[in-house]
Amino acid sequence: AQSVTQLGSHVSVSEGALVLLRCNYSSSVPPYLFWYVQYPNQGLQLLLKYTSAATLVKGINGFEAEFKKSETSFHLTKPSAHMSDAAEYFCAVSKGAAGNKLTFGGGTRVLVKP
Amino acid sequence: DAGVIQSPRHEVTEMGQEVTLRCKPISGHDYLFWYRQTMMRGLELLIYFNNNVPIDDSGMPEDRFSAKMPNASFSTLKIQPSEPRDSAVYFCASSPQGASGNTIYFGEGSWLTVV
């Protein structure tokens, strides 16, 4: 079985500061890993994904994530937070078998302070 | 592309009533998923289809829930009878066939309140 753990259900950052959202996974097979963002009252939008190519993945809106197999981690970062980054972020894992179904972490809500 | 389209966006219904949520996946996508989001349980996969065939419905909470996909461009999720604990956001999502790791695209959700 595969699972995803996101450390911290809420993160508060100042505008211009580093955003770091932590995600650890467990999977019996090499996983595919995703970060999605959910803005208030909206659906989920893909930020980036890891599919066994480069371990450092760049996504939209200046976000990036690094796959570290030894640490079973896929942390999301952005060098400088913007007010528009206030949202909930979900890490998800797919084991790549038929179906592409995703298992989501609990989510991390980001608050950006001016 | 119009994206995944869900209706209704918001529904308030009384306990015991039947609720039908509708979804139009992205054209050409072969996989369709129904997820439920609540504060307590987060995002849960309820059921998914491949080429209109239900593949895994192990996430459907109980017999009151049913889902159908009569054709490649339409799916429904029905709750009968509805209960207050069914209040949640229900997301439909779709993805293309092919290599694993394909992106799953989500609709805007149907916000259900059962009173």
Side-chain angles (χ1 to χ4, degrees), chain B residues 79-93:
Chain B
I79 308 172
Q80 167 62 22
S82 58
E83 296 182 4
R85 60 193 167 122
D86 302 330
S87 298
V89 185
Y90 292 82
F91 288 104
C92 179

Side-chain angles (χ1 to χ4, degrees), chain A residues 23 28 33 54 70 73 84 90 113:
Chain A
C23 172
S28 57
L33 294 158
S70 61
S73 69
S84 61
F90 293 92
K113 299 178 293 184

Side-chain angles (χ1 to χ4, degrees), chain B residues 11-61:
Chain B
E11 177 146 351
V12 180
T13 191
E14 291 186 346
M15 182 174 61
Q17 297 297 306
E18 177 179 294
V19 173
T20 299
L21 307 179
R22 298 172 177 81
C23 175
K24 176 179 169 56
I26 293 172
S27 177
H29 283 190
D30 297 296
Y31 286 97
L32 183 138
F33 306 83
W34 282 101
Y35 280 87
R36 177 172 69 174
Q37 184 179 34
T38 61
M39 290 291 291
M40 292 297 294
R41 301 174 68 90
L43 277 158
E44 304 172 278
L45 177 64
L46 300 179
I47 184 172
Y48 77 96
F49 296 82
N50 180 214
N51 291 323
N52 313 337
V53 176
I55 302 301
D56 182 355
D57 65 354
S58 60
M60 296 286 262

Side-chain angles (χ1 to χ4, degrees), chain A residues 19 21 35-48 59-63 76 78 80-90 107-112, chain B residues 9-10 37 43 89 91 106-109 111:
Chain A
V19 179
L21 305 182
W35 276 99
Y36 280 83
V37 60
Q38 184 180 27
Y39 298 103
N41 301 320
Q42 294 188 23
L44 281 76
Q45 178 183 0
L46 181 72
L47 272 179
L48 51 81
I60 63 171
N61 301 338
F63 284 93
L76 181 71
K78 181 174 180 176
S80 176
H82 191 272
M83 296 299 291
S84 61
D85 295 326
E88 189 157 18
Y89 293 79
F90 293 92
T108 300
R109 188 171 298 277
V110 173
L111 171 67
V112 182
Chain B
R9 286 295 315 278
H10 298 272
Q37 184 179 34
L43 277 158
V89 185
F91 288 104
F106 285 77
E108 300 257 301
W111 301 68

